[in-house]
């Protein structure tokens, strides 16, 4: 069992942040200015003028491949998409492939992607496969199917959307007013290499727009399927770059269920490089369910970037079980007072795989509330879990109430978990709590089952499931809850013989 | 012969418990007093003495549990806790174990159900003619040995009804009976809830999580009612209960008794013993049973404390 918990960093209001941070958190110290060039050999903090010199040829080549793959259509891309592409390719010039020496990738080895031959997937390939019965399962009435990053209208059901709500590709957005709003917001640069590659490679921006005061009753299911995959050991990774912008105006409300999955049982190799940006207006609410069950040979890199205006509510519930390499970058920024953020995530590593959550929550305004619960189970001796949970409570964020709790369960001898909870508190009138625990199952609990006649294997399974349930129970939709629970049960106990 | 009427009315028992002590019991008790004076401090002496033979009364209750010179240490520290415990329980009997805090009462029953915190270092335990110490904890449970925990553990994420259903089905499976699905199972336990006077919503909560002290105790008795037991060992089932709850719990325990099954209860108070009449009371001290007698011991204890017992 390999465990590393880095000491949580809690700064009193007047702490000498630069000094204490620089020793252990070099990269989190400086605001993430991505214009800072780096080489993979050494971190060189130089001025942005020298950018071009430090370009990473590998990255440039990949960016070029992605650009070339985009269909030259008759009309030029719409302004928001063009803007996104411009900003992204510009920044890519100065971005190198992350190495283990870069703090955000210290425990997450991305060389598996780097060493593969990346092949963009063209829309025709996907559309021809659209006849596959990938959409027979209609968990929720409102749904959009996204195959390898492309919306498939024939497999989507949106007829019950309230007036003024738009869901679909930017290219099919007809309302000028909505287009204007979308242009104002997208894109908001703050990501890393993967964010930028998505910006260059995304064929379209899929927009979810909820107008002022509108409550969308039924949750919207975004079904992302990765159809195209290569054989294991082929060293070829077909890449998809789905990009979604969720824009909920003042007082609006919507539930989003994001589900990322492969299509068949056999484990295909592919790279899903997905980005979702969410903008939540004053007093608006987004309840976000995120389920990731990709192939165990796939790479899944995901950005979720959320901007919350005052008195808004954002609730995320995540369960990730798939991918050989799965990385979720979750950034939430509270942009006004009295804002509520709740993050509940569960990661499961049942094979030779890595599950990584890098979350960052920035609280800049008074009376913000945040609750974060991260749990993970590593059930394989080659399995790994990584959690870096940063919470910043800045100077003006007085009377903030921030809580972070992480628990990990290691079920095999060499299972690995790397945990770095870190609270950075600069305001002085705040209530913050955090906790990190790594454990095996509780003996007393196991014995309680046995004392009632339940054999130890059944008891173990029940306790492991119960560990995950704490997060699964938070999915607001019961259909989603049941589906995910069934799935997690199956993964943890592939042979449900004895019960 | 039945020592106890199966569905002994609780109220009557409260007011005049001696009324229900049948001659056979009284007989045994007399011998027991004599023996205990001679310092052969074993509950089993009564039945082992020559005056008691299987032929003395037809259908003499069968041996259920026989503990001989049992000693045990804490697995981790090897610190001795039980230092030669002897106890014999026959079918239909009610035994009470009393003793100062830390004397080893809970350890004794936990050892009997196979708790991994303890290691047996000597002696033997026979249950229904089998070597109990050879059995896995869950086998002991399925064989009808039940212990209610002094402090039941909380199990977040596992609902109380699922837990009960799982336990019930384990037993059914061992008995070769079909398992019950959640709906059938609910039908089965609904009346048991009434028996222990427990709120239905506690079924959907997680096992013991956030339960009040009294709710936890009731939940233990609910498990006993649902699973049944040939030997129910109740560790301080009366601690932390209000008067009404104590009545409910005692009533439920009495309601579950038959001429065949037995009860061993650990308590600090006479009050419970007035509700559930014991055949024998044992006093444990420093890992041994040092005295065995009838309810009068508990009365002396209540008045004068353990000093009076040790001096006797
Ligand atoms: N797992 C354990 N680890 C350490 N010490 C233990 C353990 N179990 C029992 N002991 C010790 O053994 C002694 C007997 O404990 P036990 O719980 O059996 O007492 P008891 O008679 O039930 O007391 P009480 O009336 O307070 O419930 C105590 O000193 C206790 O601290
Ligand atoms: Mg005790």
């Amino acid at each position: 069992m390999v465990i590393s918990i880095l000491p949580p960093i809690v700064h009193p209001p007047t702490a000498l942040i630069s000094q204490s941070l620089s020793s252990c958190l070099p990269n989190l110290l400086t605001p993430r200015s991505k214009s800072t060039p780096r080489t993979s050999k050494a971190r060189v903090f130089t001025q942005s003028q020298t950018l071009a010199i430090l370009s990473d040829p590998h990255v440039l080549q990949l960016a070029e491949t992605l650009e070339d793959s985009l269909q030259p259509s008759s009309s030029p891309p719409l302004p928001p998409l063009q803007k996104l592409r411009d900003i992204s390719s510009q920044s890519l010039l100065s971005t190198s492939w992350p190495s283990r020496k870069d703090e955000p990738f210290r425990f997450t080895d991305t060389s598996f992607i780097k060493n593969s031959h990346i092949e963009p997937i063209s829309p025709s390939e996907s559309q021809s496969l659209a006849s596959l019965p990938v959409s027979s399962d209609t968990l929720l009435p409102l749904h959009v199917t996204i195959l390898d990053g492309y919306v498939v209208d024939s497999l989507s059901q949106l007829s019950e959307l309230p007036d003024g709500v738009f869901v679909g590709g930017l290219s099919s957005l007809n309302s000028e007013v909505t287009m204007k709003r979308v242009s104002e917001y997208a894109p908001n640069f703050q990501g890393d290499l993967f964010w930028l590659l998505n910006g260059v490679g995304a064929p379209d921006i899929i927009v979810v727009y909820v107008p002022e005061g509108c409550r969308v009753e039924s949750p919207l299911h975004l079904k992302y399927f990765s159809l195209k995959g290569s054989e294991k050991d082929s060293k070829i990774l077909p890449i998809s770059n789905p990009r979604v912008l969720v824009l909920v105006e003042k007082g609006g409300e919507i539930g989003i269920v994001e589900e990322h999955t492969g299509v068949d049982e056999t484990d295909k190799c592919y790279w899903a490089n997905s980005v979702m940006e969410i903008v939540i207006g004053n007093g608006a609410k987004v309840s976000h369910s995120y389920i990731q069950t990709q192939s165990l040979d796939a790479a899944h890199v995901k950005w979720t970037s959320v901007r919350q205006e005052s008195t808004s509510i954002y609730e995320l519930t995540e369960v990730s079980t798939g991918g050989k390499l799965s990385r979720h970058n979750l950034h939430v920024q509270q942009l006004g007072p009295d804002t509520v953020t709740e993050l509940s995530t569960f990661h499961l590593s049942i094979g030779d795989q890595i599950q990584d959550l890098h979350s960052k929550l920035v609280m800049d305004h008074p009376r913000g509330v945040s609750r974060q619960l991260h749990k993970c189970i590593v059930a394989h001796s080659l399995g790994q879990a990584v959690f870096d949970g940063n919470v910043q409570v800045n100077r003006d964020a007085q009377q903030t109430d921030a809580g972070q709790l992480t628990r990990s369960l290691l079920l095999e001898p060499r299972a690995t978990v790397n945990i770095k909870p870190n609270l950075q508190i600069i305001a002085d009138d705040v209530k913050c709590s955090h906790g990190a625990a790594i454990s095996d199952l509780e003996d007393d609990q196991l014995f309680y089952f046995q004392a009632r006649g339940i054999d130890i294997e059944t008891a173990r399974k029940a306790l492991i499931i119960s560990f995950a349930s704490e997060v699964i129970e938070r999915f607001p939709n019961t259909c989603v809850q049941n589906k995910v629970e069934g799935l997690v049960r199956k993964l943890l106990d592939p042979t449900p013989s004895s019960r | 012969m039945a020592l106890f009427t199966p569905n002994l009315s609780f109220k009557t028992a409260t007011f005049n418990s001696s009324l229900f002590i049948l001659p056979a019991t009284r007989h045994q008790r007399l011998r027991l007093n004599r023996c205990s004076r001679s310092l052969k401090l074993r509950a089993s002496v009564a039945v082992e003495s020559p005056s008691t033979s299987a032929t003395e009364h037809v259908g003499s209750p069968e041996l259920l549990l026989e503990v001989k010179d049992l000693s045990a240490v804490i697995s981790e520290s090897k610190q001795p806790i039980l230092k030669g415990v002897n106890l014999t329980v026959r079918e239909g009997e009610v035994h009470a174990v009393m003793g100062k805090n830390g004397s080893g009462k809970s350890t004794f029953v936990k050892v009997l159900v196979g708790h991994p915190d303890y290691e047996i270092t000597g002696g033997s335990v026979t249950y229904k003619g089998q070597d109990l110490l050879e059995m896995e904890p869950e086998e002991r449970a399925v064989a009808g040995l039940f212990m209610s925990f002094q402090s039941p553990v909380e199990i977040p994420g596992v609902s109380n009804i699922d837990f009960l259903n799982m336990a019930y089905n384990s037993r059914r499976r061992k008995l070769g009976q079909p398992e019950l699905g959640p709906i059938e199972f609910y039908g089965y336990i609904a009346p048991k809830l009434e028996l222990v006077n427990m709120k239905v919503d506690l079924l959907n909560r997680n096992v013991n999580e956030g339960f009040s002290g009294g709710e936890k105790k009731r939940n233990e008795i609910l498990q006993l009612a649902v699973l049944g037991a040939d030997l129910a060992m109740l560790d301080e089932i009366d601690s932390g209960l209000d008067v009404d709850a104590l009545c409910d719990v005692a009533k439920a325990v009495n309601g579950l008794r038959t001429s065949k099954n037995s009860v061993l209860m650990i308590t600090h108070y006479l009050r419970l013993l007035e509700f559930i009449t014991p055949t024998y009371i044992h006093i444990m001290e420093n890992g041994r049973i040092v005295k065995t007698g009838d309810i009068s011991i508990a009365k002396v204890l209540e008045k004068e404390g353990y000093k009076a017992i040790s001096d006797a």
Side-chain angles (χ1 to χ4, degrees):
Chain A
M1 202 181 285
V2 185
I3 296 166
S4 86
I5 303 190
L6 304 182
I9 296 161
V10 180
H11 294 285
T14 52
L16 294 168
I17 293 161
S18 54
Q19 204 191 338
S20 50
L21 269 179
S22 58
S23 52
C24 33
L25 288 178
N27 284 350
L28 294 182
L29 166 64
T30 45
R32 290 180 169 265
S33 86
K34 283 295 155 180
S35 55
T36 307
R38 279 176 214 156
T39 65
S40 55
K41 290 206 182 70
R43 235 173 273 126
V44 188
F45 294 91
T46 47
Q47 295 303 304
S48 52
Q49 280 80 354
T50 54
L51 286 184
I53 311 161
L54 291 171
S55 296
D56 177 335
H58 184 79
V59 169
L60 293 187
Q61 200 206 326
L62 182 53
E64 237 166 68
T65 313
L66 289 172
E67 270 172 359
D68 292 348
S69 74
L70 295 169
Q71 299 295 319
S73 68
S74 46
S75 50
L78 289 157
L81 185 58
Q82 188 60 55
K83 206 160 107 193
L84 171 68
R85 288 178 182 168
D86 291 347
I87 289 183
S88 303
S89 42
Q90 184 63 35
S91 308
L92 274 173
L93 290 176
S94 59
T95 307
S96 59
W97 195 277
S99 84
R100 302 282 294 266
K101 288 180 191 149
D102 296 302
E103 185 60 29
F105 289 90
R106 187 164 147 201
F107 300 109
T108 307
D109 187 354
T110 56
S111 57
F112 148 61
I113 304 179
K114 192 182 180 188
N115 298 334
S116 298
H117 179 72
I118 312 292
E119 283 184 350
I121 307 170
S122 64
S124 53
E125 286 176 78
S126 281
Q127 299 292 1
S128 66
L129 291 164
S131 55
L132 283 176
V134 289
S135 203
S136 53
D137 138 50
T138 46
L139 193 64
L140 298 168
L142 280 180
H143 57 262
V144 175
T145 298
I146 303 162
L147 288 188
D148 293 330
Y150 300 93
V151 173
V152 182
D153 291 330
S154 60
L155 293 175
S156 302
Q157 173 54 261
L158 294 168
S159 55
E160 275 156 51
L161 281 178
D163 279 353
V165 175
F166 174 80
V167 177
L170 191 67
S171 47
S172 52
L173 173 56
N174 295 322
S175 156
E176 254 175 58
V177 186
T178 309
M179 181 64 86
K180 188 167 167 284
R181 291 292 291 146
V182 169
S183 310
E184 280 168 24
Y185 280 97
N188 169 46
F189 176 70
Q190 51 157 226
D192 60 2
L193 170 77
F194 300 98
W195 197 95
L196 296 169
L197 289 174
N198 173 286
V200 169
D204 199 354
I205 297 174
I206 300 163
V207 177
V208 176
Y209 180 80
V210 179
E212 188 173 326
C214 176
R215 255 189 99 217
V216 183
E217 297 285 340
S218 172
L220 171 70
H221 191 184
L222 302 179
K223 306 158 91 167
Y224 299 76
F225 290 101
S226 296
L227 267 186
K228 188 147 194 269
S230 65
E231 292 311 310
K232 206 177 166 173
D233 304 323
S234 67
K235 291 248 165 196
I236 296 172
L237 276 186
I239 183 175
S240 63
N241 289 292
R243 188 174 195 106
V244 176
L245 171 69
V246 177
L247 182 48
V248 182
E249 301 282 15
K250 197 168 149 188
E253 205 175 314
I254 191 169
I256 305 263
V257 179
E258 244 193 302
E259 187 181 10
H260 296 257
T261 187
V263 277
D264 48 28
E265 299 286 302
T266 58
D267 283 339
K268 288 275 178 58
C269 299
Y270 53 84
W271 175 15
N273 186 42
S274 187
V275 173
M276 178 178 274
E277 281 186 85
I278 302 176
V279 180
I280 311 174
N282 284 350
K285 177 177 175 183
V286 171
S287 146
H288 185 189
S289 304
Y290 169 57
I291 305 146
Q292 187 273 101
T293 58
Q294 302 279 23
S295 145
L296 290 184
D297 286 318
H300 179 84
V301 181
K302 169 76 159 77
W303 268 92
T304 304
S305 150
V306 185
R307 280 171 281 169
Q308 285 188 260
E309 284 171 13
S310 64
T311 65
S312 67
I313 300 174
Y314 174 67
E315 295 167 351
L316 170 75
T317 309
E318 168 184 348
V319 169
S320 289
T321 64
K324 180 174 178 56
L325 164 62
S326 170
R327 159 80 162 224
H328 187 191
N329 299 290
L330 171 63
H331 279 207
V332 182
Q333 189 149 19
Q334 295 192 346
L335 300 172
D338 302 293
T339 303
V340 178
T341 308
E342 275 184 41
L343 311 173
S344 315
T345 46
F346 170 66
H347 284 185
L348 173 61
S349 248
I350 52 144
D352 174 5
Q353 62 181 144
I354 178 164
Q355 293 288 354
D356 176 353
L357 175 67
H358 267 64
S359 68
K360 177 174 179 158
L361 173 62
V362 183
M363 305 176 83
D364 273 326
H365 298 269
R367 298 176 305 277
V369 175
S370 74
R371 291 278 168 274
Q372 180 170 26
L373 170 69
H374 178 66
K375 297 184 103 174
C376 64
I377 296 180
V378 184
H380 192 279
S381 54
L382 296 172
Q384 283 187 65
V386 177
F387 172 55
D388 183 320
N390 176 241
V391 179
Q392 278 179 24
V393 181
N394 291 330
R395 200 167 308 278
D396 294 330
Q398 301 298 348
Q399 291 155 313
T400 290
D401 181 356
Q404 185 188 65
L405 187 68
T406 172
R407 278 197 64 198
S408 314
L409 193 54
L410 302 180
L411 300 176
E412 286 296 323
R414 285 189 306 284
T416 306
V417 61
N418 291 294
I419 302 271
K420 190 170 85 181
N422 63 87
L423 289 163
Q424 295 172 281
I425 301 157
I426 297 162
D428 47 16
D429 176 18
V430 295
K431 201 171 109 193
C432 289
S433 63
H434 82 95
I438 292 173
S439 55
D440 194 0
L441 298 172
E442 299 281 335
D443 287 340
D444 274 353
Q445 294 182 345
L446 280 172
F447 184 70
Y448 198 67
F449 280 84
Q450 286 183 288
R452 298 297 174 251
I454 301 164
D455 65 88
I456 192 136
E457 263 319 297
T458 309
R460 282 183 69 87
K461 279 170 202 161
L463 284 178
I464 293 167
I465 288 288
S466 76
F467 182 89
S469 295
E470 192 181 357
V471 172
I472 298 174
E473 280 166 5
R474 298 191 187 183
F475 282 116
N477 184 283
T478 36
C479 298
V480 173
Q481 226 179 69
N482 293 339
K483 180 175 172 171
V484 175
E485 186 184 324
L487 195 126
V488 170
R489 265 183 202 281
K490 208 170 124 199
L491 286 171
L492 285 168
D493 182 18
T495 50
S497 51
S498 59
R499 249 205 82 186
Chain B
M1 180 190 286
L3 292 181
F4 297 95
T5 340
N7 281 303
L8 187 68
S9 152
F10 158 73
K11 284 218 168 86
T12 333
T14 323
F15 296 127
N16 194 349
S17 54
S18 61
L19 222 138
F20 291 84
I21 297 170
L22 301 175
T25 319
R26 198 174 286 150
H27 181 67
Q28 287 179 339
R29 202 185 278 163
L30 280 172
R31 272 183 286 103
L32 196 92
N33 286 343
R34 194 188 64 226
C35 294
S36 61
R37 237 170 270 128
S38 68
L39 292 175
K40 285 185 185 170
L41 296 168
R42 297 172 65 167
S44 55
V45 285
V47 281
E48 279 171 3
S49 76
S51 64
T52 315
S53 69
T55 52
E56 196 183 69
H57 26 76
V58 184
S60 160
E62 297 275 335
L63 262 185
L64 187 60
L65 178 80
E66 193 168 33
V67 181
K68 284 187 181 164
D69 293 323
L70 184 68
S71 49
V73 298
I74 295 169
S75 309
E76 222 164 72
S77 62
K78 307 292 174 210
Q79 183 199 339
I81 305 291
L82 299 184
K83 300 167 182 169
V85 180
N86 289 289
L87 179 77
T88 298
V89 178
R90 294 178 165 270
E91 284 180 350
E93 291 177 349
V94 175
H95 292 245
V97 177
M98 304 181 82
K100 287 183 192 167
N101 294 135
S103 56
K105 305 177 299 293
S106 296
T107 304
F108 176 51
V109 286
K110 284 201 260 179
V111 161
L112 292 182
V113 294
H115 199 286
D117 281 359
Y118 310 98
E119 212 172 89
I120 311 290
T121 48
S124 67
V125 182
T126 312
Y127 174 74
K128 292 183 178 174
Q130 274 185 290
D131 182 355
L132 186 76
L133 302 178
E134 283 300 302
M135 296 161 78
E136 291 296 324
E138 62 268 26
E139 292 171 346
R140 302 180 196 196
V142 173
L145 190 60
F146 180 96
M147 176 186 74
S148 76
F149 288 78
Q150 184 174 353
S151 354
V153 65
E154 302 192 355
I155 310 183
V158 176
S159 87
N160 209 17
I161 190 159
D162 285 354
F163 179 78
L164 278 167
N165 201 166
M166 239 186 271
Y168 186 69
N169 280 343
S170 295
R171 189 159 304 219
R172 303 264 299 183
R173 213 162 43 235
K174 294 265 165 52
L175 297 172
Q177 293 168 346
E179 300 182 16
L180 293 191
I183 294 167
E184 295 164 281
F185 182 67
Y186 183 75
Y188 169 73
I189 58 164
K192 315 270 178 189
L193 279 179
E194 271 168 49
L195 189 76
V196 296
N197 204 356
M198 198 167 104
K199 281 177 279 165
V200 184
D201 64 309
L202 289 182
L203 283 181
N204 292 322
R205 300 242 307 258
N206 291 330
V207 179
N208 293 323
E209 192 182 37
F211 284 24
S212 76
E215 286 167 342
K216 284 186 182 171
K217 302 283 176 176
R218 275 180 211 255
N219 198 36
E220 293 290 293
I221 298 304
L222 175 68
Q223 294 176 3
L224 172 62
V226 169
L227 302 173
D230 297 319
L231 176 56
M233 303 189 288
L234 312 176
D235 192 353
E236 296 199 21
I237 199 69
D238 50 345
S239 302
L241 292 188
D242 64 42
V243 185
D244 292 352
L246 181 61
C247 287
D248 287 343
V249 162
K251 200 165 156 184
V253 171
N254 278 327
L256 293 169
R257 274 171 44 204
T258 69
S259 60
K260 284 281 182 191
N261 61 23
S262 313
V263 175
L264 185 154
M265 51 192 174
I266 294 172
T267 183
H268 288 293
Y269 308 106
L270 183 60
R271 197 168 181 107
L272 180 72
L273 305 180
E274 286 171 345
F275 288 151
I276 308 171
T277 319
T279 326
Y280 302 107
I281 294 182
H282 311 277
I283 304 297
M284 187 165 245
E285 199 181 295
N286 191 21
R288 281 193 195 91
I289 288 175
V290 294
K291 195 178 181 75
T292 294
D294 64 9
I295 190 104
S296 61
I297 295 192
K299 286 180 179 155
V300 173
L301 211 60
E302 185 101 340
K303 271 210 198 90
E304 302 168 41
Y306 281 100
K307 197 167 176 296
I309 304 277
S310 321
D311 294 348

